[in-house]
Amino acid sequence: MAVTKRKSGSITAEKPEKRVKKEKSAAAAPASNKKTLFGKVIGEDNEEDDGEDEGELEAEPIRDDDEQNDMDMEVDAPAANGDQAVPQKNKIPTKEANAQKKALRDERRSHKPNADLIYPAKKLWEKLRLKELPKPERQQVMKEMMELITGKVQEIIFKHDMSRIIQSCLKHGNEAQRNVIAGELVGHYLTLSKSMYGRFIVVKILHYCQKYREAIIKEFYGKVRQLIKHKEASTIIEDAYSTYANAAQRAGLIQEFYGPEFRIFKVEDKKSLSDIIAQNPSKKENIMKHLMETLKGCMEKGTVEFSIVHRGLLEYFEHADAKGIQEMLDVMKEQAVEILHTKEGAQVAMLCLLHASPKDRKAMLKTMKPFVVKICKEEYGHMVMLRMFDVVDDTVLMSKAILAEIVKEMDDIAKDKYGRRVILYLLAGRSPKYISPQSIELLAKGDLVRANTSKKDAAVRSSELLNYISPSLISLIATKTRALTSEPLACQVVFETMLHATGDRQPAVDALLALAAENPSEATSETPHVLMSMPTDRLYKTLVQSDYKAPLADPSLHFAKALLTKISPYLGFFAQQSGSSPFIVLALLENPETAEETKKALQAKGTSKGSITIQKELEKVVKGKAENEFKAVRLILETLAK
């Protein structure tokens, strides 16, 4: 409410709307003959105020009706000149005002449902959720909380604040207290799962109350197809399926995708769609129809990222005919990138690439391009990259859309557990050294289909991809040699690059030799010599052996001869160590290119007076030592004795 000051000294309450009307009427009045500038009369500022400002209102703060319903009393005080009255307020004392506000607040709260429960529970919750609260005090607070909420949980769970309180009780309560809460909610879990706030309680009960998991999942039976498309409930179905359900319960949930019959009658002894179809082949057409409808609905509702949907998609692709697969591909090709984080989802994406036409593969590559690095590092997603290398004929597109993204982050990918497999696949193919037998078998299953969907020869495709990525790999090794060789996983990439990369590998060879040529006496614990630390010592040993022993470098690097030239001043030092460096000397002694030269160096005397041969020094090293000590040194001596 606003207050209008009048010249007479009286105070009149007037609504703001009246001011608007006055302003409008003033605007509608005919303009005077005075000159104006931007709507203002020139010289108006110089005119004396005549005091007639009846239409002007004083600004007043907005008051909350719940906090203060009545305006303070206002009285007139005579002005100094006697012309105007100045409004004054009789201020209520602070304590009295606060008491009035508290009384109004308590009265307002008392009209809300369960007021006698909610507000005491909130005060207890403020203590309960403190991380530093001692265990005895927490137990006492939980005891008081349970006295408040027992028997009334169903009445309060749908309120956002009480939902958090119940969640805290489930988190901090003991097993008996948790089961009391979970028991009161039996029969209401379906409704809770659809609630914005209640669904979090269901998640907590699934996590903490193992006794009630079966009861919760059974409440979902018959409604799974609807719930998986629901914004809130879909996350509960996913958690129940992927984390808390056993094999039989997972089968019961996924079976509802197969049609109305399976919502009512569960097939207890059959765990997969293959088993059901094998037992009743006549039902296949009807099952595939309903499965297709359910999966399309999930994609339209945006729930395609859930593992239960991925399971359904995989079963569809495994049993659908060519027409059905193409129909699903039309829907899936732009959403395949969203399902690569699960085992079944990655397999579905691999099948999409395998069966897709060149046009559909191009569309899939474009959707995956922004996420190439992330996909390479995925536990299951990296397999999609391997399938992509197998089936996409347009290697120019592959180079620009996929390999170019890998090259940008190649250093990081080469050090990753799963990312390095993507690079190694381009270098070494389906080598069992780097890819598990199960993964090789999965890739091999698609070779027969690939023969019909891809035209380019597999060897030509692999060669073109390798030609594109080889220069970047060689350059990376040449510039970041120490960083790569100090990582066990990246060492594998370095080794396979030296063996299989195309083009000039000499810059990488020179970088590796430069590290080996460093004086070992200057090495520190922070930067150890590459021939005396894991895993680089094994890298150098295998590179020496690559000249004469499988796996052979193609073409030969002649690495052994170059390495011997670099480390010959320190050959005796490396041969006498207890670690792996003597094995590098042994590899040089066994290599046909360096055997004679290495033998001469080990048997030659030093230039100083009284010096002995390295061979004699090695004999002293092993003298009196156990047979399992200095094994490499003993092998060197045996080779020299031949």
Side-chain angles (χ1 to χ4, degrees), residues 122-183:
K122 284 184 178 180
K123 290 182 179 179
L124 290 173
W125 179 58
E126 290 297 331
K127 294 181 181 179
L128 183 64
R129 67 194 185 114
L130 295 175
K131 292 182 179 180
E132 64 274 10
L133 188 67
K135 187 176 180 180
E137 292 185 32
R138 193 184 301 279
Q139 291 174 345
Q140 180 60 33
V141 174
M142 269 302 305
K143 183 179 179 181
E144 296 176 15
M145 182 73 79
M146 291 303 296
E147 291 175 357
L148 275 175
I149 65 174
T150 300
K152 299 180 180 179
V153 177
Q154 297 178 18
E155 302 174 19
I156 58 177
I157 49 176
F158 294 102
K159 296 181 178 294
H160 72 92
D161 47 0
M162 291 307 297
S163 174
R164 292 185 179 183
I165 291 173
I166 298 300
Q167 290 174 55
S168 293
C169 291
L170 289 166
K171 179 179 179 181
H172 299 295
N174 56 38
E175 184 178 357
Q177 291 167 337
R178 291 167 178 168
N179 287 338
V180 168
I181 297 173

Side-chain angles (χ1 to χ4, degrees), residues 474 477-478 498 505-515 540 557-559 562:
I474 294 170
I477 295 170
M498 301 308 297
R505 292 170 288 176
Q506 195 58 43
V509 172
D510 292 341
L512 290 169
L513 293 174
L515 286 180
Y540 281 83
L557 293 170
H558 302 290
F559 189 81

Side-chain angles (χ1 to χ4, degrees), residues 298-310:
C298 292
M299 284 181 263
E300 291 171 359
K301 293 292 184 179
T303 57
V304 72
E305 74 272 14
F306 297 137
S307 61
I308 187 172
V309 179
H310 302 172

